[in-house]
Amino acid sequence: MKKTLTFLLVFSFLLTGCTQESGENSTKQTALEDKPNPPSGFIPKKLTIVSAGDSLTQGVGDSTNSGGYIPYLKSDLEGLEDIQEATFYNFGVRGNRTDQLLARLKTDKVKQKIKQADLVMITIGGNDVMKVFKDNFTDLKLKEFEKARSDYQNRLKVIMTTIRQENPEAGIVLIGIYNPFLKWFADVKEIEQIMVNWNKASKEIVDQYQQAKFIPISDIFENSQDDLLYKDYFHPNDEGYHLIADRLFDQLKGEALAELTNPDYIAKEGR
């Protein structure tokens, strides 16, 4: 009888120990489950970026033929702690206007990459302005640019909507145009006003979309004492592209990049 009682006491003690240990494990597991998610930058992100547009995206004037501003911006982005890798897909074509870019955005190859993109960056508009110059070179009038600008805005809106339809979560960045005639027509104020008006028109359209940003670059070329144009006096040279990349990075790093590439960011931050 004593042996039986002793056995029952020992068994109860072991059973109690197992129960307590199980309870501790349960508490530990619950504590782990209750821990908040790590901050967004805790795990470095891989960015997929589609660059589309005209010669500024293709990189005409870049002596290395590596994509103009793209390699500089890629290096800057990958220098951020929360970016592990930035992969760019370059769909820039020299001479493209808004109508031609819109057609290419609808091709299967470009659509596929846009669907995968975290960010879509566009350079467009400069050739639309140039077409007005060429068509009316002997009799330039501001009213011709005003009409063309309105048509440009309509096409730009379709471009923005097309990208958004293909990828509702991708950020969109439109890079502004600059005055390529500064070398020869720096004193012609009408040309500068045309560029100002077209950049303003671009921003007006971009501001209608969430997760979209307009980044101006015209002042880079206006305020520089250095020669930032290629030997054709139209496209940027290496230094010009480097400065464009610096401007883009300055405007994109930090919260701006989070807002553009994370559709939940605005809601989480109460923005």
Side-chain angles (χ1 to χ4, degrees):
M1 183 68 179
K2 289 182 179 180
K3 290 183 179 180
T4 303
L5 182 59
T6 301
F7 173 78
L8 289 174
L9 288 173
V10 171
F11 180 77
S12 298
F13 175 78
L14 292 174
L15 185 61
T16 303
C18 289
T19 303
Q20 289 175 345
E21 185 178 355
S22 176
E24 289 174 0
N25 287 340
S26 177
T27 302
K28 290 178 181 178
Q29 183 177 358
T30 303
L32 286 173
E33 290 174 351
D34 290 342
K35 286 186 179 295
N37 292 326
S40 58
F42 184 77
I43 301 175
K45 182 177 182 178
K46 291 185 176 180
L47 277 182
T48 298
I49 302 172
V50 168
S51 294
D54 52 28
S55 55
L56 292 187
T57 295
Q58 182 179 329
V60 176
D62 170 14
S63 66
T64 66
N65 294 317
S66 55
Y69 73 84
I70 290 177
Y72 301 114
L73 183 58
K74 173 180 172 66
S75 177
D76 288 338
L77 289 173
E78 291 178 343
L80 296 173
E81 290 184 358
D82 54 345
I83 302 298
Q84 178 182 349
E85 182 181 5
T87 301
F88 282 79
Y89 294 93
N90 190 333
F91 295 106
V93 175
R94 182 175 189 166
N96 260 199
R97 300 184 304 271
T98 44
D99 56 330
Q100 295 163 318
L101 172 59
L102 182 58
R104 286 196 304 111
L105 290 177
K106 296 178 180 179
T107 62
D108 291 339
K109 182 178 181 179
V110 178
K111 285 169 63 175
Q112 179 186 10
K113 292 305 180 184
I114 288 177
K115 289 179 185 295
Q116 301 170 1
D118 298 295
L119 194 63
V120 179
M121 304 189 70
I122 306 169
T123 60
I124 203 69
N127 292 304
D128 293 71
V129 177
M130 282 302 302
K131 186 176 188 302
V132 185
F133 272 107
K134 292 176 181 178
D135 292 347
N136 302 275
F137 187 75
T138 58
D139 187 24
L140 287 176
K141 295 180 180 178
L142 284 177
K143 67 178 183 179
E144 298 296 333
F145 290 92
E146 294 299 309
K147 181 182 182 304
R149 187 182 66 186
S150 177
D151 294 339
Y152 162 76
Q153 279 190 300
N154 291 333
R155 291 191 297 271
L156 180 59
K157 190 168 186 177
V158 178
I159 287 172
M160 297 287 291
T161 301
T162 299
I163 295 171
R164 182 60 74 236
Q165 288 173 342
E166 291 298 330
N167 189 335
E169 298 185 349
I172 305 174
V173 172
L174 177 63
I175 302 167
I177 62 175
Y178 63 93
N179 182 0
F181 303 114
L182 284 172
K183 180 74 175 179
W184 307 113
F185 303 107
D187 296 331
V188 182
K189 299 302 180 183
E190 289 82 0
I191 295 178
E192 183 57 34
Q193 189 58 49
I194 290 168
M195 300 302 171
V196 169
N197 292 343
W198 279 61
N199 276 321
K200 182 180 178 181
S202 296
K203 188 176 187 303
E204 286 175 358
I205 297 300
V206 173
D207 285 348
Q208 296 176 19
Y209 294 81
Q210 283 195 332
Q211 281 182 263
K213 187 176 182 65
F214 174 79
I215 300 181
I217 61 171
S218 58
D219 60 300
I220 294 174
F221 296 87
E222 294 166 7
N223 301 330
S224 176
Q225 299 299 317
D226 299 325
D227 186 4
L228 302 180
L229 296 180
Y230 184 56
K231 60 185 179 182
D232 62 3
Y233 298 112
F234 191 85
H235 296 94
N237 57 20
D238 292 351
E239 181 62 17
Y241 279 119
H242 201 166
L243 290 175
I244 290 174
D246 288 346
R247 170 63 57 81
L248 298 178
F249 180 66
D250 184 64
Q251 293 288 311
L252 290 176
K253 64 184 178 182
E255 288 188 353
L257 187 60
E259 289 177 358
L260 286 167
T261 60
N262 184 354
D264 298 325
Y265 181 85
I266 296 176
K268 288 179 180 179
E269 297 296 319
R271 295 174 183 268

